[in-house]
Amino acid sequence: MPVISDPAQFNEDDLYVDLRAALELPLFLKCEGFNFAGSIKLKAANEMVAAAERDGLLRPGSVLVESSSGNLGVALSVIAASRGYRFLCVTDSRCNLPTIRLMEALGSQVHVIDEPDVHGGYLGARLSYVRALCASDDRYVWLDQYHNHGNWRAHYRTTAPAIARRFPHLDVLFVGAGTTGTLMGCARFFWQWRRRVRIVAVDSVGSVSFGQAPGPRLIPGLGASVPPALLDESYVDELVRVEESDAVHVCRRLAARGFLFGGSTGTVVSGASQWLARYGRRDLTAVAIAPDLGERYLDTVYREGWPEDALEAERPAEMARLA
Ligand SMILES: Cc1ncc(COP(=O)(O)O)c(C=O)c1O
């Protein structure tokens, strides 16, 4: 039983759900939501803050600022609160309300961007805001998860070795792509590991990360409206793209079996299920990464009528942008 004095010291790294019972799927789901930030992003936040402190970028009086769809913001809120930094999270209107409340409860300030940029993306608008802020006052320190190598290194050092220890005969790993920190850290580790593991990236339909056309997306965390700078496709063996409606369907099937996961877990499991069905062999050792749990998605993924009603509500703004 661990005893801790700093919230970042605890992270459950060895919990897997065998999805054969719940979904008749030969897949082990690595659960990353059991820590004080409730998501996999605690690892990236830890690594990036430690590096910034080591490099002398973060000093007493610094104000951390970051663009986040929510989970990194919560993780940085936890770390900022425990180390005495101020933190401003720049997010957008797709961020869940409970996530915003959570950051505020941890003492952070949250700025919500509710207008996409001229290309129709929220991420571009968030990044412009952060850049302007940093130019205005040099106390702001932007870790920049989209370019920070600590983002993927965290998974190279922790997530991937934990999977390799537990599954020495791993054949295939499914990883959702947001900033691609998790994907690149795991891909680089397994590239060098003594056994070749097939790395399958899972992306949302409507995300531009792998060169596809942009489209409406509502599940935060996974997918991007700006190509991810950390992505090196030469490490990725295959790509599976998932409709958000399929991701929601998988989340609700898992919930019906008592497993309440976040929206991006539905995307990754749906992608893995498509891939495994195509591959047709049931004797592979397959693992997928579940970035967070479902409580933050009760008003979205787990609400009857979502995402159809939310997409309907977005349509006038979309039409105005295209006009
Ligand atoms: C819920 C959720 N899923 C998936 C991801 C994707 O992780 P990464 O940014 O490492 O690609 C994130 C990242 O914020 C997330 O919050």
Side-chain angles (χ1 to χ4, degrees):
M1 176 84 66
V3 176
I4 60 167
S5 49
D6 172 341
Q9 285 169 343
F10 173 74
N11 184 67
E12 172 56 68
D13 221 1
D14 285 313
L15 179 67
Y16 296 81
V17 178
D18 180 343
L19 290 180
R20 278 175 300 197
L23 299 183
E24 291 180 33
L25 196 60
L27 180 68
F28 296 99
L29 192 53
K30 184 177 194 310
C31 302
E32 292 281 352
F34 294 96
N35 59 49
F36 279 91
S39 86
I40 194 165
K41 281 293 180 174
L42 185 60
K43 293 170 170 176
N46 251 333
E47 185 86 21
M48 292 190 293
V49 167
E53 286 175 335
R54 253 191 337 264
D55 297 345
L57 289 172
L58 257 180
R59 293 183 293 263
S62 295
V63 183
L64 276 167
V65 58
E66 188 59 62
S67 154
S68 164
S69 62
N71 277 341
L72 180 68
V74 174
L76 286 172
S77 297
V78 167
I79 293 176
S82 75
R83 302 203 191 173
Y85 297 117
R86 281 169 59 205
F87 172 51
L88 166 62
C89 182
V90 180
T91 188
D92 64 58
S93 43
R94 279 178 315 186
C95 183
N96 303 314
L97 196 57
T99 305
I100 293 176
R101 294 278 179 268
L102 199 50
M103 289 189 269
E104 289 172 341
L106 288 160
S108 302
Q109 198 189 332
V110 182
H111 180 85
V112 181
I113 302 278
D114 48 21
E115 275 294 318
D117 68 7
V118 285
H119 307 295
Y122 283 100
L123 181 53
R126 272 168 23 192
L127 296 179
S128 303
Y129 186 88
V130 172
R131 281 193 199 101
L133 213 55
C134 292
S136 74
D137 188 332
D138 61 11
R139 280 175 307 169
Y140 285 110
V141 175
W142 180 22
L143 297 175
D144 189 1
Q145 61 164 331
Y146 306 100
H147 293 88
N148 193 318
H149 289 269
N151 184 0
W152 66 261
R153 216 170 275 131
H155 303 287
Y156 180 89
R157 287 200 315 101
T158 62
T159 313
I163 295 170
R165 273 193 306 275
R166 178 63 186 76
F167 295 97
H169 300 292
L170 183 67
D171 293 303
V172 53
L173 179 67
F174 299 95
V175 191
T179 64
T180 69
T182 315
L183 175 67
M184 292 314 301
C186 291
R188 284 202 171 93
F189 176 89
F190 284 112
W191 194 259
Q192 292 167 351
W193 202 41
R194 58 189 183 280
R195 255 184 119 257
R196 269 296 282 133
V197 171
R198 188 169 283 268
I199 302 294
V200 181
V202 183
D203 196 15
S204 308
V205 170
S207 159
V208 305
S209 298
F210 292 85
Q212 267 95 10
R217 287 177 304 112
L218 295 170
I219 295 177
L222 202 142
S225 55
V226 172
L230 293 179
L231 176 63
D232 178 346
E233 284 191 52
S234 67
Y235 286 94
V236 178
D237 295 301
E238 281 179 68
L239 168 69
V240 183
R241 300 175 71 234
V242 173
E243 295 281 354
E244 287 197 331
S245 52
D246 292 336
V248 169
H249 180 66
V250 167
C251 282
R252 293 180 187 174
R253 279 183 67 203
L254 283 165
R257 302 301 301 263
F259 291 114
L260 197 75
F261 283 107
S264 69
T265 298
T267 312
V268 177
V269 173
S270 174
S273 157
Q274 279 179 39
W275 190 94
L276 290 165
R278 239 190 356 255
Y279 201 77
R281 266 174 52 191
R282 293 188 70 85
D283 60 340
L284 292 180
T285 301
V287 170
I289 297 176
D292 65 0
L293 298 173
E295 287 96 330
R296 292 172 196 170
Y297 302 85
L298 297 180
D299 281 332
T300 54
V301 171
Y302 294 102
R303 183 169 55 74
E304 205 47 53
W306 196 91
E308 295 78 11
D309 55 0
L311 285 169
E312 196 57 43
E314 274 212 345
R315 195 152 296 155
E318 187 74 23
M319 300 290 274
R321 266 202 305 282
L322 294 173

